[in-house]
Amino acid sequence: IELMPCSDDKYYAFKYVNGHPKNTAEGKLCVVALGVLADVDSGYPLMECEMTLLTAIRTAATAALGAKYLARKDSRHVAIIGTGAQAEFQIAALKTVFPLTKVSYYDIDAAAMRKFHGHMDGDIDVLVPCDSVATAVQGADIVVTATASKQKNIIVSADMLEPGMHIHAMGGDCPGKTEFDASALQRCKVVVEYIEQSMIEGEIQDCGREAVHAELWEIVSGFKAGRQNDDEITFFDSVGFAVEDLSILKLIYQLSEQEGIGEMTYMIPDLANPKDLYGLLFSP
């Protein structure tokens, strides 16, 4: 369970989010989230919001942003490993940036693969269900790993990497959980969101700072180079960063006011004398 706070000079936000892979066997979501947006100047909460769906959207948007700077511009084939609740969002977001025509996919859960196919059929020209990770990633331009098992894993091994690939490692992260080993990262140009956080729960927790080329903001801002040629292998070690939650909560708040959606809930005492909180106990 994490509490993810972030602030700018106008808004403060936090997200409560869990990660319990065993939940799906009990008919519960692996990840659920709630968020709060507050006014920095007064400290008053402005909005309470579900963030289970919003977490999926902001995570996929971050994948597309990273790929925009790190994947080859002509990328058409995405391989996704893990077809659970996040998978379709990843493809939908990447499709806004790249002319995707083919998606190959693999999951240890056949039902999850069928679910994914049902949602993606008609949106992607070629859908290829695979019987192994190695088969799925072969020839892919972009590889997305979206697994949840909380242990050290080698989902994609170093020998599966091909020149020109972009890897988006976004599987549910926590200390001690990885999807790649150090030998795979050594072949890649590695980018993270925030190095201090990634050192604790990202793919680089076994590699150290020296494995990191840049934080994503440095590439977006032009301080460091993203992809420099069509042969290098790029790797976005995405762990989920609180600024992404602040961004989407601000967007939802703006849209809710603009479109008149949501409900007003009075949770803060409205006192004639703001110093007389005790008197609220005796008010009619």
Side-chain angles (χ1 to χ4, degrees), residues 254-269:
Q254 292 162 8
L255 290 173
S256 70
E257 290 195 314
Q258 176 184 314
E259 303 296 332
I261 57 176
E263 298 179 1
M264 183 66 72
T265 301
Y266 296 95
M267 299 181 66
I268 307 300

Side-chain angles (χ1 to χ4, degrees), residues 70 72 162-166 187-189 225-234:
L70 296 171
R72 299 196 321 272
E162 299 175 11
M165 272 184 173
H166 169 60
R187 295 190 58 192
C188 304
K189 174 180 280 185
R227 172 174 290 275
Q228 293 178 285
N229 60 66
D230 286 346
D231 290 327
E232 67 181 341
I233 304 172
T234 54

Side-chain angles (χ1 to χ4, degrees), residues 24 80 82-85 87-88 105-120:
T24 54
I80 186 161
T83 55
E88 293 90 346
Y105 56 99
Y106 172 73
D107 196 297
I108 59 174
D109 181 355
M113 291 179 66
R114 290 192 295 271
K115 178 268 305 180
F116 176 79
H117 188 281
H119 286 306
M120 292 289 98

Side-chain angles (χ1 to χ4, degrees), residues 78-123:
V78 174
I80 186 161
I81 310 304
T83 55
Q86 178 64 225
E88 293 90 346
F89 294 92
Q90 291 283 312
I91 301 303
L94 289 169
K95 193 178 177 185
T96 67
V97 181
F98 301 96
L100 301 185
T101 58
K102 178 180 179 180
V103 174
S104 53
Y105 56 99
Y106 172 73
D107 196 297
I108 59 174
D109 181 355
M113 291 179 66
R114 290 192 295 271
K115 178 268 305 180
F116 176 79
H117 188 281
H119 286 306
M120 292 289 98
D121 191 23
D123 287 341

